[in-house]
Structures are given as structure tokens and as C-alpha cells.
Amino acid sequence: MGREDSHYRPDGGAGRPPGGSASGGFTGRVPVPDAHPARRGSGTADVTPAGTAPGGDGRPAPVDLWAAAAARPAAGPPPVSAPPSPPTAPGRRRRLLPVALATVLVLVLAAVGLAVVRPGPVGQWLGDEPAAPSAAARPPEPAPVPVLAAADANAPLPTTAGVRAALAPLVGVSALGDRVNVSVADVATGRPLYGRGEDDGTVPASVTKLVTAVTVLAARGPGYRIPTRAVAGAAPGEVVLVGGGDPTLAVDRKGFYPGAARLDDLAAQVKKALGGTAPTKVVVDSTLYSGPVHEPGWDSDIPDGGYGGAVTALMTDGARSDVPQAKKDHDNGNHGADRVAKPDVAAGRSFARLLGVPADRVTTGRAPAAGAGAAAGAPGTQLGVVSSLPMVRLVDIMISDSDNLVAEALARQVALARGEAASFAGGAKAMDAVVAELGLPADEMSLADGSGLSRSNRISPSLLTDLITLAGDGTRPELAAIFGGLPVAAWSGTLTDRFAGPAGVAAGQVRAKTGTLTRVHAIAGLVSTADGRLLSFAVLTDDVPPDGLTAARAALDRVTAALATCGCR
């Protein structure tokens, strides 16, 4: 059976209720006026603390979850000064990540609550536009607060012997099976501190999404928006709906993803463009994607098991068939959802309804090409367009929710950006190329999809720790957006109900992406040691007993907690 983490909570709220769960999201960032959609309702909050890249959804007050987890009072942004140069790391078998991380560690991770104001990359990444004049004065935005308050770039570096002593007894337990591969590295220097099968390709499950996130941010940029277009068809009154690969597209304001592009807005544009001509037919063009809609390496129950579905260039609400029920289920902790079998056709029928076109007048096809100098309304000319949330926020949704269909859409955006076919194979090929472009060991990775649902995927733990460290490098600031959606131990996202019992000492000190398939369990992210040193880690195991899910997760939590509670010197 295939099973994946899925913890996106569509409705926002003020905070985590006692005993409740919270989802990884965008709180803790600096809200930028007019770049964030209005929040729906007052349900449970999405309260993962922020990374460097903004991209929140307009929640009221930033929350310092790391401080909350440690029962410390929230504080304003700390002063930032450049730390002393870190010690030179010893030679490594491959690319050594730049030592400039010590400075970035403070700027990017230890003080991510620092205010960032326009102009600058934040507004560009969010697609920010000047605010329209308003008679009502805007209330001042609350000051951001530090998130990784415990991280200290000057903290003593753990020793390899110390880390080995802490982890070796824990990674060999039977609950993790016979194949456990591990990598631990120091973020400030890139120095490897512990390895066990660290260069061996291992089934990563949903941890794959970290690679998808980094490659799409590198290939498309944080501010890129995915368009959904309507163009004039071959005959008068014929409208072609052209899918651009936005999985969050909504039918109307009641969609699953807050702030998503909407078909009702597109329909209004089409009606205006057509003037007095009544739409009579809708053609659905989802030919941007090619190849199978399900990856052959997926377990047989994934397409209709609630966490996967058909991957098409046009869909609404992540192909969920009953959006109101999906919202309720999420609030009740059930993160699966029934999906429609043909998402593109379902979206076309919804669009037809908005245009007043009968469902039997919806067909599939390809948009005609607009001729050079074609007049408005001629076949192939654009009648309207709506654009997705910025890429930085789609990445957040993918990571905090572990949203598989969003992940597959982003993998295809990497393919399109690199001139490859928008397919499973094309996405994998393009992601491999981008990883190599970033100077990472692409030979330690073999992908079949972008979500991690495929058992054909292989990623080495050391590639993951290299990738996480590179995201904080500072030379590619757009990559730091991956930190915004990472769940927090015992607080948010897929880690909400983790780190219980003895591992609870690491609550609030770990931010990580998890991965789960039957017999496959993985966790990779950041941990702050007892001395305040920030480490990247990845633990992957793909030979756990079939009934060992609970025990394996607890064992992984104990491994990570050991790093959080030792100086390892």
C-alpha cells in the first residue's frame, strides 16, 4: 500500500489550540501588503515558522514557534552581526559547500523574523504590486520575531566521534529494518559529521519533495506564476481552456487553496472579450503534459487512495472531487481526499457552467495557433488569463502539506523551464540536470517522479544534507524558500503528532520533511544541538517490517532527538 504524508490545512486561524494540530504554513514571515490573499474562516492555524523567503497568506501576527516550544516569551527581531569566520573544513570526497554559511546562518535561519521591506527581492518573489489607493488606513503590521533563537553560529562544532557515539546505537535498532542510511553535516561549514551508507541511493518517499522544491526554485524562480489561459476557438463562440499546469486553480472563491487563481475570474474576462457573442462550446486543451497520468512505479492503490491522482495540465483544487468535504476532513485530521478520474475534463465542465455552456458541449482538443497579426477574437487569440500563486508559495504548500499533485506539477515546471517534455520522465531528467547545475552530486540520485510516491526513486542521504545546506548558502537566496514550509517537531505539519515520549525533548528544535510509504520511512531537515549548533541531517530506511510504521517513526524521532540534546563533543 502506498501512503504519504498530507497535512495542509486550508483554513487559517489564530494559533494551535490545546491538544489540537497545526499545519505547516507561512506564519512567522513578514506579510507584504496586497501580496497575500484574505484568510478564510477561523479554523486551526497553519503555523509552521518561517524560513527566509516570504510568502505567507496574510495571517495576522507572526508566531515564534521555536520560542513557544521552549516556553520562552516571544521577542522582537534580534540584532544581526556577522559572526567570525568558521574554521576551514577538511577535504571532502566531492563539492564542499561554501563557508559563507556562517553569516547566512544568522541572516537566513537564526533570525528569519527580520523585517524585509520593499523594494527588494521579496516583492519580486511574491509578485508584489503597488497597493491601490484606499480611503481606509492600513493598520501597522506586527514586528516579526526570531524563529531559530537557539541557533548559534559560534557554538562549538560537534566531533565525528561524538555524533557517532550518540547515533550509532539508535540507527541499528530493529524497528528501522536492515537498511538504514544516514548523513549528518554541519550547516555553517558543510563538514560531514556522521555517515552510514550516506552515499547510497535509498527510496526517499516524500523527502523527494525537497529536491523538487530546490530545482523548481532554481529553474523558475520564486516569483514565477503558472498561467491558465482561455483563447478563441476555431469557430465563433468556441472557447478553448488551456491548462498551464496550475494544480491549485479554483472554480470560485470557495476553492481548496486560499488565494488561488479562479475560473470564475477567467470566465468574466472571456465574456467581456467576446462582447455580444455568446459562448457555445468549450474545448479543453491539456496537451502541455505528455506521457502517463500515473507513474508506473506507484503502488496500485495510490491513484484512487486519496493521496495521489491523475496528473493533468488542467485541474481544479488538486483534482479533489468534493472540496467542502475535503476541507472538513482536513480539519478533522483526515488529509486524504477523493479525486476525479479526469481532472482536465472536470475543470472544463466547471468552466462551461460559468460561461452558460451545456456540459455536453465540452470536448477535448488543442488550441488553434494565432496567426501573425491576428485581430482580437480571431482563432487562437487570448480571451483571458489567470495566474497561480507565486512559486515560493506553491513550494510552501507542497512541503508543509506534502501535497503530491502539487509536487508533480512543480516537477513538470522544471521540465518546461529546461526544454524537456512535461511528463514524469521529462521532469526527472530536468531535475537531475538542475541538481548537477547547482554543483550537487546528481549521480547519487535517480528519480521517477517529483512527489516521492514512486518506489523507483533513489536519493542518497548525503545529497539531501548537501542540498539543505546549499539552500542556506546565500549565493542562491531563492533556494532558502524551502525552509518556510518545513514542519516543526511536535508542533506543525507532518511532525504535529511526532516527537512524543522521550523524543519530546526535541520539540521545537527540529524542522524536517518526512516521507512514508509502506516499509519506507524517511526524515530530513535541520536540528539545533544542545549547544546551539545547526546541523543538517537525513535518515532514510526502506526495509522496515510491513507493520512497523509506528515503531519506525518513533525510532527516527529518537535519532533526531539525540542530535538535539547533545553537544556531541
Side-chain angles (χ1 to χ4, degrees):
M1 182 182 85
R3 174 172 177 170
E4 263 301 334
D5 323 292
S6 185
H7 286 256
Y8 179 74
R9 194 171 298 277
D11 292 329
R16 182 183 182 182
S21 66
S23 259
F26 320 114
T27 302
R29 297 188 196 145
V30 182
V32 179
D34 305 315
H36 309 274
R39 189 165 44 95
R40 267 200 322 264
S42 58
T44 306
D46 293 1
V47 288
T48 298
T52 52
D57 59 353
R59 288 177 170 79
V63 180
D64 183 356
L65 298 180
W66 292 81
R72 298 193 300 269
V80 176
S81 59
S85 300
T88 302
R92 192 176 180 187
R93 59 182 173 78
R94 54 182 168 196
R95 178 186 186 277
L96 180 64
L97 297 167
V99 297
L101 271 167
T103 300
V104 178
L105 180 65
V106 175
L107 294 175
V108 173
L109 297 172
V112 296
L114 284 175
V116 181
V117 295
R118 298 170 292 176
V122 173
Q124 299 169 16
W125 290 358
L126 291 177
D128 194 22
E129 297 178 356
S134 173
R138 295 184 184 276
E141 294 176 359
V145 295
V147 175
L148 283 174
D152 180 1
N154 298 312
L157 178 70
T159 65
T160 55
V163 177
R164 185 184 306 111
L167 297 190
L170 300 175
V171 298
V173 298
S174 59
L176 292 178
D178 296 329
R179 187 172 141 86
V180 186
N181 295 329
V182 186
S183 176
V184 180
D186 178 57
V187 171
T189 64
R191 179 180 298 179
L193 297 174
Y194 178 76
R196 167 176 163 154
E198 67 273 25
D199 300 332
D200 295 344
T202 316
V203 181
S206 194
V207 170
T208 303
K209 293 182 177 72
L210 292 176
V211 179
T212 305
V214 164
T215 54
V216 77
L217 288 167
R220 281 299 200 198
Y224 182 80
R225 297 174 184 260
I226 303 171
T228 301
R229 300 184 302 121
V231 304
E238 186 173 285
V239 178
V240 184
L241 180 60
V242 184
D246 177 9
T248 66
L249 181 68
V251 176
D252 52 32
R253 67 177 64 251
K254 298 178 182 179
F256 185 83
Y257 302 95
R262 291 160 35 188
L263 286 178
D264 59 349
D265 288 338
L266 185 59
Q269 295 178 42
V270 169
K271 290 177 181 178
K272 182 176 180 180
L274 290 178
T277 302
T280 58
K281 183 179 180 180
V282 169
V283 177
V284 173
D285 183 350
S286 59
T287 59
L288 181 66
Y289 288 3
S290 58
V293 297
H294 305 123
E295 206 285 313
W298 287 0
D299 289 351
S300 60
D301 64 335
I302 285 176
D304 58 3
Y307 295 100
V311 182
T312 56
L314 178 65
M315 65 173 64
T316 57
D317 301 302
R320 292 169 177 84
S321 60
D322 187 339
V323 173
Q325 185 61 48
K327 293 179 185 178
K328 293 177 183 177
D329 289 344
H330 269 271
D331 286 340
N332 293 328
N334 176 12
H335 306 291
D338 291 336
R339 316 279 172 157
V340 296
K342 296 181 178 180
D344 48 357
V345 175
R349 288 173 178 164
S350 295
F351 189 58
R353 184 174 66 254
L354 293 166
L355 293 175
V357 175
D360 61 2
R361 295 289 293 163
V362 176
T363 63
T364 59
R366 186 183 293 270
T381 57
Q382 185 166 289
L383 302 175
V385 61
V386 292
S387 299
S388 73
L389 296 164
M391 189 58 67
V392 65
R393 291 179 54 205
L394 296 180
V395 165
D396 263 342
I397 291 170
M398 174 185 66
I399 292 178
S400 62
D401 180 16
S402 203
D403 193 311
N404 295 309
L405 289 180
V406 171
E408 296 303 342
L410 299 193
R412 283 157 177 75
Q413 289 299 315
V414 182
L416 292 168
R418 288 295 181 267
E420 300 291 345
S423 62
F424 285 106
K429 182 178 180 181
M431 289 166 66
D432 185 89
V434 174
V435 165
E437 290 168 12
L438 293 171
L440 299 172
D443 59 334
E444 294 183 10
M445 178 183 81
S446 176
L447 297 181
D449 68 13
S451 64
L453 287 173
S454 177
R455 293 181 183 273
S456 301
N457 291 335
R458 297 291 185 274
I459 302 176
S460 74
S462 57
L463 171 57
L464 290 168
T465 52
D466 280 359
L467 179 146
I468 292 165
T469 304
L470 177 62
D473 181 298
T475 59
R476 299 293 299 263
E478 72 276 18
L479 303 185
I482 70 167
F483 299 124
L486 282 179
V488 178
W491 187 268
S492 64
T494 56
L495 295 182
T496 298
D497 299 319
R498 299 277 292 265
F499 290 86
V505 294
Q509 300 304 313
V510 176
R511 300 187 66 175
K513 181 74 195 76
T514 58
T516 306
L517 294 167
T518 302
R519 304 196 68 175
V520 175
H521 301 275
I523 186 168
L526 298 166
V527 58
S528 180
T529 70
D531 291 331
R533 193 82 182 192
L534 199 67
L535 308 180
S536 61
F537 69 92
V539 187
L540 281 64
T541 175
D542 57 12
D543 191 24
V544 172
D547 58 350
L549 182 148
T550 301
R553 286 182 170 179
L556 290 176
D557 294 350
R558 287 192 294 271
V559 171
T560 310
L563 292 172
T565 55
C566 82
C568 296
R569 290 179 285 117

mmCIF file of all heavy atoms in Angstrom, residues 22 62 106 176 250 360 366 466 483 539 563:
data_model
loop_
_atom_site.group_PDB
_atom_site.id
_atom_site.type_symbol
_atom_site.label_atom_id
_atom_site.label_comp_id
_atom_site.label_asym_id
_atom_site.label_seq_id
_atom_site.Cartn_x
_atom_site.Cartn_y
_atom_site.Cartn_z
ATOM 1 N N ALA A 22 -1.676 21.572 14.171
ATOM 2 C CA ALA A 22 -1.459 22.711 13.299
ATOM 3 C C ALA A 22 -0.676 22.260 12.106
ATOM 4 O O ALA A 22 0.088 21.331 12.156
ATOM 5 C CB ALA A 22 -0.708 23.809 14.051
ATOM 6 N N PRO A 62 2.821 37.249 13.422
ATOM 7 C CA PRO A 62 3.821 36.207 13.362
ATOM 8 C C PRO A 62 3.932 35.495 14.704
ATOM 9 O O PRO A 62 3.805 36.097 15.763
ATOM 10 C CB PRO A 62 5.117 36.954 13.026
ATOM 11 C CG PRO A 62 4.654 38.249 12.440
ATOM 12 C CD PRO A 62 3.370 38.556 13.132
ATOM 13 N N VAL A 106 22.990 33.187 10.345
ATOM 14 C CA VAL A 106 22.331 34.189 11.167
ATOM 15 C C VAL A 106 21.237 34.880 10.377
ATOM 16 O O VAL A 106 20.107 35.038 10.829
ATOM 17 C CB VAL A 106 23.354 35.226 11.680
ATOM 18 C CG1 VAL A 106 22.651 36.331 12.445
ATOM 19 C CG2 VAL A 106 24.381 34.544 12.576
ATOM 20 N N LEU A 176 14.002 -0.055 12.606
ATOM 21 C CA LEU A 176 14.354 0.628 11.364
ATOM 22 C C LEU A 176 14.728 -0.343 10.250
ATOM 23 O O LEU A 176 15.054 0.086 9.137
ATOM 24 C CB LEU A 176 15.492 1.615 11.608
ATOM 25 C CG LEU A 176 15.136 2.822 12.488
ATOM 26 C CD1 LEU A 176 16.355 3.704 12.715
ATOM 27 C CD2 LEU A 176 13.994 3.632 11.878
ATOM 28 N N ALA A 250 -8.787 27.210 -8.775
ATOM 29 C CA ALA A 250 -10.095 27.025 -8.143
ATOM 30 C C ALA A 250 -11.208 27.366 -9.122
ATOM 31 O O ALA A 250 -10.993 28.086 -10.102
ATOM 32 C CB ALA A 250 -10.217 27.906 -6.899
ATOM 33 N N ASP A 360 -22.668 18.930 -22.264
ATOM 34 C CA ASP A 360 -22.454 18.089 -23.449
ATOM 35 C C ASP A 360 -21.770 18.844 -24.580
ATOM 36 O O ASP A 360 -21.509 18.280 -25.637
ATOM 37 C CB ASP A 360 -23.772 17.465 -23.916
ATOM 38 C CG ASP A 360 -24.803 18.497 -24.323
ATOM 39 O OD1 ASP A 360 -24.510 19.715 -24.297
ATOM 40 O OD2 ASP A 360 -25.940 18.093 -24.673
ATOM 41 N N ARG A 366 -7.049 20.725 -28.993
ATOM 42 C CA ARG A 366 -5.872 21.588 -28.929
ATOM 43 C C ARG A 366 -6.243 22.985 -29.412
ATOM 44 O O ARG A 366 -6.999 23.142 -30.375
ATOM 45 C CB ARG A 366 -4.748 21.019 -29.801
ATOM 46 C CG ARG A 366 -3.427 21.769 -29.696
ATOM 47 C CD ARG A 366 -2.405 21.179 -30.654
ATOM 48 N NE ARG A 366 -2.023 19.823 -30.279
ATOM 49 C CZ ARG A 366 -1.002 19.544 -29.453
ATOM 50 N NH1 ARG A 366 -0.297 20.534 -28.927
ATOM 51 N NH2 ARG A 366 -0.705 18.293 -29.177
ATOM 52 N N ASP A 466 23.599 17.870 1.669
ATOM 53 C CA ASP A 466 24.247 18.885 0.831
ATOM 54 C C ASP A 466 23.231 19.897 0.315
ATOM 55 O O ASP A 466 23.463 21.109 0.310
ATOM 56 C CB ASP A 466 24.936 18.223 -0.366
ATOM 57 C CG ASP A 466 26.286 17.618 -0.021
ATOM 58 O OD1 ASP A 466 26.703 17.721 1.143
ATOM 59 O OD2 ASP A 466 26.915 17.036 -0.930
ATOM 60 N N PHE A 483 12.773 26.411 3.409
ATOM 61 C CA PHE A 483 12.668 26.338 4.858
ATOM 62 C C PHE A 483 11.317 26.803 5.375
ATOM 63 O O PHE A 483 10.916 26.451 6.480
ATOM 64 C CB PHE A 483 13.779 27.164 5.510
ATOM 65 C CG PHE A 483 15.157 26.686 5.166
ATOM 66 C CD1 PHE A 483 16.089 27.545 4.603
ATOM 67 C CD2 PHE A 483 15.520 25.376 5.391
ATOM 68 C CE1 PHE A 483 17.359 27.111 4.272
ATOM 69 C CE2 PHE A 483 16.787 24.923 5.064
ATOM 70 C CZ PHE A 483 17.710 25.792 4.504
ATOM 71 N N VAL A 539 17.861 10.779 7.399
ATOM 72 C CA VAL A 539 17.824 9.374 7.791
ATOM 73 C C VAL A 539 16.792 8.685 6.910
ATOM 74 O O VAL A 539 15.607 9.045 6.938
ATOM 75 C CB VAL A 539 17.456 9.186 9.275
ATOM 76 C CG1 VAL A 539 17.593 7.720 9.670
ATOM 77 C CG2 VAL A 539 18.311 10.076 10.170
ATOM 78 N N LEU A 563 20.452 14.146 18.418
ATOM 79 C CA LEU A 563 21.236 15.281 17.918
ATOM 80 C C LEU A 563 20.840 16.574 18.616
ATOM 81 O O LEU A 563 21.680 17.437 18.883
ATOM 82 C CB LEU A 563 21.043 15.429 16.408
ATOM 83 C CG LEU A 563 21.622 14.334 15.527
ATOM 84 C CD1 LEU A 563 21.185 14.522 14.087
ATOM 85 C CD2 LEU A 563 23.147 14.319 15.614
#
